[in-house]
PDB file of all heavy atoms in Angstrom:
ATOM      1  N   CYS G 341      -4.333  -7.501  -4.770  1.00 98.00           N
ATOM      2  CA  CYS G 341      -3.347  -6.675  -5.453  1.00 98.00           C
ATOM      3  C   CYS G 341      -4.060  -5.686  -6.406  1.00 98.00           C
ATOM      4  O   CYS G 341      -3.714  -4.503  -6.457  1.00 98.00           O
ATOM      5  CB  CYS G 341      -2.352  -7.529  -6.231  1.00 98.00           C
ATOM      6  SG  CYS G 341      -1.173  -8.363  -5.245  1.00 98.00           S
ATOM      7  N   MET G 344      -5.754  -2.932  -4.332  1.00 98.00           N
ATOM      8  CA  MET G 344      -4.762  -1.962  -3.839  1.00 98.00           C
ATOM      9  C   MET G 344      -4.323  -1.034  -5.003  1.00 98.00           C
ATOM     10  O   MET G 344      -4.169   0.158  -4.805  1.00 98.00           O
ATOM     11  CB  MET G 344      -3.516  -2.636  -3.236  1.00 98.00           C
ATOM     12  CG  MET G 344      -3.833  -3.525  -2.014  1.00 98.00           C
ATOM     13  SD  MET G 344      -4.750  -2.637  -0.752  1.00 98.00           S
ATOM     14  CE  MET G 344      -5.957  -3.883  -0.343  1.00 98.00           C
ATOM     15  N   ASP G 395       4.728   1.961  -5.065  1.00 98.00           N
ATOM     16  CA  ASP G 395       3.948   0.976  -4.326  1.00 98.00           C
ATOM     17  C   ASP G 395       3.091   0.133  -5.297  1.00 98.00           C
ATOM     18  O   ASP G 395       2.998  -1.094  -5.162  1.00 98.00           O
ATOM     19  CB  ASP G 395       3.018   1.686  -3.322  1.00 98.00           C
ATOM     20  CG  ASP G 395       3.795   2.295  -2.202  1.00 98.00           C
ATOM     21  OD1 ASP G 395       4.897   1.762  -1.862  1.00 98.00           O
ATOM     22  OD2 ASP G 395       3.327   3.319  -1.601  1.00 98.00           O
ATOM     23  N   ARG G 396       2.495   0.832  -6.272  1.00 98.00           N
ATOM     24  CA  ARG G 396       1.713   0.072  -7.272  1.00 98.00           C
ATOM     25  C   ARG G 396       2.611  -0.932  -8.007  1.00 98.00           C
ATOM     26  O   ARG G 396       2.206  -2.032  -8.351  1.00 98.00           O
ATOM     27  CB  ARG G 396       1.045   1.015  -8.281  1.00 98.00           C
ATOM     28  CG  ARG G 396      -0.100   1.835  -7.611  1.00 98.00           C
ATOM     29  CD  ARG G 396      -0.651   2.877  -8.617  1.00 98.00           C
ATOM     30  NE  ARG G 396      -1.329   2.243  -9.734  1.00 98.00           N
ATOM     31  CZ  ARG G 396      -1.710   2.898 -10.788  1.00 98.00           C
ATOM     32  NH1 ARG G 396      -1.509   4.165 -10.909  1.00 98.00           N
ATOM     33  NH2 ARG G 396      -2.381   2.255 -11.784  1.00 98.00           N
ATOM     34  N   GLY G 397       3.837  -0.429  -8.328  1.00 98.00           N
ATOM     35  CA  GLY G 397       4.773  -1.343  -8.992  1.00 98.00           C
ATOM     36  C   GLY G 397       5.077  -2.627  -8.161  1.00 98.00           C
ATOM     37  O   GLY G 397       5.180  -3.677  -8.667  1.00 98.00           O
ATOM     38  N   ARG G 398       5.210  -2.391  -6.826  1.00 98.00           N
ATOM     39  CA  ARG G 398       5.508  -3.544  -5.971  1.00 98.00           C
ATOM     40  C   ARG G 398       4.327  -4.519  -5.961  1.00 98.00           C
ATOM     41  O   ARG G 398       4.532  -5.755  -5.994  1.00 98.00           O
ATOM     42  CB  ARG G 398       5.866  -3.101  -4.551  1.00 98.00           C
ATOM     43  CG  ARG G 398       7.327  -2.743  -4.373  1.00 98.00           C
ATOM     44  CD  ARG G 398       7.646  -2.236  -2.978  1.00 98.00           C
ATOM     45  NE  ARG G 398       7.281  -0.838  -2.812  1.00 98.00           N
ATOM     46  CZ  ARG G 398       8.142   0.165  -3.075  1.00 98.00           C
ATOM     47  NH1 ARG G 398       9.347  -0.071  -3.502  1.00 98.00           N
ATOM     48  NH2 ARG G 398       7.740   1.402  -2.958  1.00 98.00           N
ATOM     49  N   PHE G 399       3.113  -4.017  -5.891  1.00 98.00           N
ATOM     50  CA  PHE G 399       1.937  -4.900  -5.942  1.00 98.00           C
ATOM     51  C   PHE G 399       1.883  -5.634  -7.286  1.00 98.00           C
ATOM     52  O   PHE G 399       1.561  -6.804  -7.381  1.00 98.00           O
ATOM     53  CB  PHE G 399       0.649  -4.150  -5.655  1.00 98.00           C
ATOM     54  CG  PHE G 399       0.404  -3.880  -4.189  1.00 98.00           C
ATOM     55  CD1 PHE G 399       0.379  -2.589  -3.699  1.00 98.00           C
ATOM     56  CD2 PHE G 399       0.231  -4.900  -3.290  1.00 98.00           C
ATOM     57  CE1 PHE G 399       0.169  -2.324  -2.327  1.00 98.00           C
ATOM     58  CE2 PHE G 399       0.051  -4.698  -1.960  1.00 98.00           C
ATOM     59  CZ  PHE G 399       0.014  -3.391  -1.455  1.00 98.00           C
ATOM     60  N   ALA G 400       2.229  -4.925  -8.381  1.00 98.00           N
ATOM     61  CA  ALA G 400       2.191  -5.567  -9.674  1.00 98.00           C
ATOM     62  C   ALA G 400       3.251  -6.647  -9.805  1.00 98.00           C
ATOM     63  O   ALA G 400       2.982  -7.743 -10.307  1.00 98.00           O
ATOM     64  CB  ALA G 400       2.385  -4.486 -10.791  1.00 98.00           C
ATOM     65  N   ASP G 401       4.429  -6.348  -9.242  1.00 98.00           N
ATOM     66  CA  ASP G 401       5.499  -7.389  -9.257  1.00 98.00           C
ATOM     67  C   ASP G 401       5.073  -8.632  -8.450  1.00 98.00           C
ATOM     68  O   ASP G 401       5.266  -9.765  -8.881  1.00 98.00           O
ATOM     69  CB  ASP G 401       6.771  -6.857  -8.644  1.00 98.00           C
ATOM     70  CG  ASP G 401       7.437  -5.795  -9.503  1.00 98.00           C
ATOM     71  OD1 ASP G 401       7.033  -5.661 -10.698  1.00 98.00           O
ATOM     72  OD2 ASP G 401       8.353  -5.122  -9.042  1.00 98.00           O
ATOM     73  N   ALA G 402       4.510  -8.364  -7.252  1.00 98.00           N
ATOM     74  CA  ALA G 402       4.093  -9.463  -6.393  1.00 98.00           C
ATOM     75  C   ALA G 402       3.019 -10.266  -7.089  1.00 98.00           C
ATOM     76  O   ALA G 402       3.022 -11.541  -7.062  1.00 98.00           O
ATOM     77  CB  ALA G 402       3.591  -8.936  -5.067  1.00 98.00           C
ATOM     78  N   ARG G 403       2.096  -9.608  -7.720  1.00 98.00           N
ATOM     79  CA  ARG G 403       1.004 -10.275  -8.463  1.00 98.00           C
ATOM     80  C   ARG G 403       1.544 -11.173  -9.553  1.00 98.00           C
ATOM     81  O   ARG G 403       1.102 -12.297  -9.707  1.00 98.00           O
ATOM     82  CB  ARG G 403       0.018  -9.263  -9.018  1.00 98.00           C
ATOM     83  CG  ARG G 403      -1.226  -9.860  -9.532  1.00 98.00           C
ATOM     84  CD  ARG G 403      -2.002  -8.822 -10.412  1.00 98.00           C
ATOM     85  NE  ARG G 403      -3.379  -9.252 -10.664  1.00 98.00           N
ATOM     86  CZ  ARG G 403      -3.758 -10.231 -11.494  1.00 98.00           C
ATOM     87  NH1 ARG G 403      -2.836 -10.931 -12.123  1.00 98.00           N
ATOM     88  NH2 ARG G 403      -5.030 -10.488 -11.666  1.00 98.00           N
ATOM     89  N   PHE G 454       3.149  -9.729  -0.712  1.00 98.00           N
ATOM     90  CA  PHE G 454       2.027  -8.821  -0.604  1.00 98.00           C
ATOM     91  C   PHE G 454       2.148  -7.975   0.660  1.00 98.00           C
ATOM     92  O   PHE G 454       1.963  -6.756   0.600  1.00 98.00           O
ATOM     93  CB  PHE G 454       0.687  -9.634  -0.561  1.00 98.00           C
ATOM     94  CG  PHE G 454      -0.531  -8.742  -0.385  1.00 98.00           C
ATOM     95  CD1 PHE G 454      -1.181  -8.198  -1.491  1.00 98.00           C
ATOM     96  CD2 PHE G 454      -1.001  -8.503   0.898  1.00 98.00           C
ATOM     97  CE1 PHE G 454      -2.273  -7.405  -1.316  1.00 98.00           C
ATOM     98  CE2 PHE G 454      -2.117  -7.676   1.077  1.00 98.00           C
ATOM     99  CZ  PHE G 454      -2.756  -7.107  -0.049  1.00 98.00           C
ATOM    100  N   ALA G 457       4.882  -5.336   0.304  1.00 98.00           N
ATOM    101  CA  ALA G 457       4.385  -4.186  -0.529  1.00 98.00           C
ATOM    102  C   ALA G 457       3.420  -3.348   0.325  1.00 98.00           C
ATOM    103  O   ALA G 457       3.452  -2.137   0.311  1.00 98.00           O
ATOM    104  CB  ALA G 457       3.729  -4.683  -1.789  1.00 98.00           C
ATOM    105  N   ALA G 458       2.531  -4.047   1.058  1.00 98.00           N
ATOM    106  CA  ALA G 458       1.557  -3.329   1.885  1.00 98.00           C
ATOM    107  C   ALA G 458       2.244  -2.541   2.987  1.00 98.00           C
ATOM    108  O   ALA G 458       1.825  -1.422   3.283  1.00 98.00           O
ATOM    109  CB  ALA G 458       0.564  -4.359   2.510  1.00 98.00           C
ATOM    110  N   LEU G 551      -5.170  -1.627   4.879  1.00 98.00           N
ATOM    111  CA  LEU G 551      -4.544  -0.815   3.849  1.00 98.00           C
ATOM    112  C   LEU G 551      -5.588  -0.182   2.947  1.00 98.00           C
ATOM    113  O   LEU G 551      -5.513   0.995   2.564  1.00 98.00           O
ATOM    114  CB  LEU G 551      -3.499  -1.579   3.084  1.00 98.00           C
ATOM    115  CG  LEU G 551      -2.661  -0.754   2.108  1.00 98.00           C
ATOM    116  CD1 LEU G 551      -1.886   0.366   2.798  1.00 98.00           C
ATOM    117  CD2 LEU G 551      -1.738  -1.580   1.260  1.00 98.00           C
TER     118      LEU G 551
END
Side-chain angles (χ1 to χ4, degrees):
C341 285
M344 297 308 134
D395 291 331
R396 289 176 68 191
R398 274 179 279 271
F399 281 116
D401 290 348
R403 190 193 194 287
F454 176 87
L551 185 62

